[in-house]
Amino acid sequence: MSDYLPKEVRAGLALARKAKQKASSRMRVRTGDQTYTIVRVWDGGFALDADEALPLRGLVDVFDGPRHIANCLIVASESDGNEIVCEFKRATPTQDRAPQDYAVADDAPVALIGRD
């Protein structure tokens, strides 16, 4: 059906589709002071809008809305049409507390009661 539409209408539809995709995505990637919207995510990487972002490399932070969810080490990014496809070597999930380097017993007390 798109073969019968004028190219101006097809370009307008493509822009509308891209705007809807960016508006519905909560995922963001931050590198330094720059923040980019993630268009697609899969197990080994993610895709960014080529009009918005430059090819990335190195350590970046991934956010889902305001929540920091992972640190990723990007090893390859290439332009693929209207997307920049980034593949990462590792994605380390962030935690809300410091890791423990010792074993804690299941019946250990949660807190101590002081003497008054």
Side-chain angles (χ1 to χ4, degrees):
M1 174 162 165
S2 64
D3 296 338
Y4 303 112
L5 296 174
K7 67 175 142 177
E8 294 85 13
V9 174
R10 282 185 277 166
L13 288 172
L15 285 174
R17 189 177 306 117
K18 184 187 292 189
K20 181 181 177 190
Q21 196 174 31
K22 281 177 61 175
S24 66
S25 177
R26 292 176 38 123
M27 302 285 287
R28 307 271 189 267
V29 62
R30 184 183 301 165
T31 175
D33 295 336
Q34 301 293 322
T35 303
Y36 305 111
T37 303
I38 297 176
V39 179
R40 293 184 300 124
V41 179
W42 58 91
D43 284 339
F46 52 85
L48 307 171
D49 185 15
D51 296 336
E52 181 182 308
L54 299 172
L56 299 176
R57 192 168 173 92
L59 192 63
V60 297
D61 296 313
V62 177
F63 290 85
D64 183 12
R67 191 169 56 100
H68 187 206
I69 59 171
N71 292 327
C72 296
L73 181 61
I74 298 176
V75 293
S77 64
E78 60 187 28
S79 181
D80 182 26
N82 60 352
E83 292 181 339
I84 295 178
V85 178
C86 300
E87 296 181 14
F88 49 80
K89 183 176 183 178
R90 69 166 175 86
T92 306
T94 57
Q95 297 180 355
D96 58 351
R97 59 187 174 95
Q100 290 182 323
D101 58 349
Y102 55 91
V104 178
D106 291 337
D107 59 347
V110 176
L112 299 175
I113 300 174
R115 294 183 195 177
D116 275 344

